[in-house]
Amino acid sequence: MTTLNKKPNPFTFTIDWEDFGQLYYKYFFGDTLAPSPKTIDRQTNIILDLLNETNVKATFFVLGILAKHRPDLVRKIVDEGHEIALHGMNHDAMFKLTTKQAKADILYSKKLISDISGTELLGYRAPFFSIIEKNLYILEYLAELGFQYDSSIFPIKMSRYGIENFSHENKKYKLPNGGEIVELPLTTFKYANKHWPISGGGYIRAMPSLLLRSIFNSIKTKDTMIYMHPYEFDNEKLDIASNFSPTQRNQYKYKIKTQNFRWNLFQPTVVKKIKFILQHNSFSTCIEKSNYVKNNSLSSTILE
């Protein structure tokens, strides 16, 4: 671990630890089933093996509905030396919830995952990066609950999320309630005088390898936040309907076919691309980055 005053390594590798089939069943039918054991085991083990091979420690933002069914895998991640942070309970966009619902989701999942992991949770990432201008109060609530940092904000306006003109740098903010929190925003790449998202699973999957290597080589010394998901590492074909019944599969067969094509397109290239990034850059965890920012920067008023 880095000391509080030593500048951490520039890259951070994070996993939004959630189950593909479990979430798609929820999106279609509103219910939460247990995940397929073989699938989430396989995906998680591929990630852990890759991190061990490249000697990188990562931050896993753990989702409550998955942790509830697979506490053993959460503890395995802890035992291998990785940081556990919070991804909430139900994977709902926070800006779609009432204040009461949003706070309940965070409070319940924090206790659940802290109890399972045996660790203090200091970091949070909202599902869908869903902290935007209208629900910045969530940062105040996180600070009240003892979170040290958040990593939910895309510092550009996207179709579903993001905050235009938000700082692209890791910063400590003074909040309206008197609390403080460190924000570790998602990484963008400036090209043609515009910032572009580049550091997430979908973007990495879609980028040709030569372009990806060129971009990441150009930002080797800059703070870079990479976020991935377990399903992106799978060495078997993804199926959004893995938890559907035969009747449900037949009912949505055309939508299933379209979505499966989308998610499997270029998916076999991901592990090789990520392995290259892990091998050719230096990494610190989110809490290491947050500790440094907290102890070596002045507070700012959020969105001045």
Side-chain angles (χ1 to χ4, degrees):
M1 298 289 284
T2 59
T3 64
L4 298 182
N5 295 314
K6 181 182 177 183
K7 190 171 183 179
N9 294 319
F11 275 61
T12 303
F13 189 72
T14 67
I15 299 292
D16 293 353
W17 195 68
E18 56 201 41
D19 183 76
F20 190 75
Q22 186 186 40
L23 288 183
Y24 258 97
Y25 192 90
K26 180 178 183 290
Y27 299 154
F28 271 76
F29 307 110
D31 295 327
T32 302
L33 300 180
S36 168
K38 290 183 179 179
T39 303
I40 193 59
D41 279 12
R42 180 174 64 248
Q43 295 167 355
T44 302
N45 286 330
I46 289 171
I47 295 169
L48 292 176
D49 288 347
L50 184 58
L51 291 170
N52 285 334
E53 182 182 349
T54 55
N55 197 30
V56 170
K57 296 303 180 188
T59 299
F60 285 73
F61 290 92
V62 173
L63 186 66
I65 55 174
L66 177 54
K68 184 177 180 180
H69 290 284
R70 296 306 309 272
D72 57 315
L73 282 181
V74 176
R75 288 190 282 266
K76 181 175 183 179
I77 294 167
V78 174
D79 289 344
E80 298 208 8
H82 303 290
E83 179 193 359
I84 298 293
L86 184 63
H87 199 36
M89 188 66 200
N90 296 305
H91 211 270
D92 295 319
M94 302 304 280
F95 51 70
K96 292 184 179 180
L97 303 181
T98 65
T99 300
K100 183 178 180 181
Q101 289 171 330
K103 288 183 174 181
D105 182 285
I106 296 169
L107 181 62
Y108 182 84
S109 57
K110 181 179 189 291
K111 184 179 187 311
L112 173 73
I113 295 167
S114 180
D115 288 347
I116 289 172
S117 66
T119 64
E120 181 182 9
L121 304 186
L122 296 175
Y124 176 76
R125 176 174 290 159
F128 305 111
F129 307 108
S130 54
I131 294 181
I132 57 177
E133 288 179 277
K134 74 175 185 179
N135 65 348
L136 285 169
Y137 74 86
I138 291 177
L139 298 181
E140 297 179 69
Y141 187 58
L142 292 174
E144 290 173 6
L145 289 178
F147 286 95
Q148 181 175 303
Y149 71 86
D150 173 70
S151 183
S152 304
I153 297 179
F154 245 101
I156 55 175
K157 187 63 179 174
M158 307 286 284
S159 61
R160 293 182 294 130
Y161 49 73
I163 300 177
E164 193 69 37
N165 298 321
F166 195 89
S167 176
H168 293 253
E169 298 179 2
N170 298 333
K171 281 190 175 182
K172 179 173 64 173
Y173 292 98
K174 185 174 178 62
L175 302 171
N177 66 352
E180 289 185 336
I181 199 161
V182 173
E183 183 64 38
L184 306 177
L186 282 302
T187 298
T188 62
F189 179 71
K190 192 171 183 179
Y191 176 73
N193 208 33
K194 182 177 178 180
H195 286 276
W196 303 85
I198 53 139
S199 62
Y203 308 111
I204 290 172
R205 176 165 57 92
M207 270 193 284
S209 294
L210 288 178
L211 176 61
L212 180 140
R213 293 185 181 194
S214 176
I215 288 175
F216 278 89
N217 187 58
S218 72
I219 58 175
K220 283 180 75 74
T221 61
K222 298 179 181 179
D223 276 320
T224 301
M225 176 72 69
I226 296 172
Y227 67 94
M228 303 293 293
H229 309 85
Y231 54 82
E232 288 155 344
F233 292 83
D234 209 331
N235 54 16
E236 296 188 12
K237 281 192 175 295
L238 299 174
D239 179 14
I240 70 163
S242 59
N243 285 343
F244 289 21
S245 69
T247 301
Q248 290 167 337
R249 292 188 73 97
N250 185 62
Q251 180 182 0
Y252 292 102
K253 59 184 177 181
Y254 297 113
K255 191 170 185 178
I256 291 168
K257 185 175 181 179
T258 301
Q259 288 294 312
N260 280 347
F261 175 80
R262 170 199 171 192
W263 286 109
N264 284 290
L265 186 64
F266 306 127
Q267 193 267 346
T269 70
V270 169
V271 171
K272 185 176 180 180
K273 290 173 179 176
I274 291 297
K275 185 174 182 179
F276 178 87
I277 293 172
L278 294 176
Q279 288 176 325
H280 291 85
N281 296 283
S282 300
F283 287 81
S284 294
T285 60
C286 285
I287 191 58
E288 290 176 312
K289 289 266 184 86
S290 178
N291 282 338
Y292 179 79
V293 173
K294 179 182 177 183
N295 289 279
N296 294 278
S297 67
L298 298 175
S299 292
S300 304
T301 301
I302 196 163
L303 293 181
E304 290 186 305

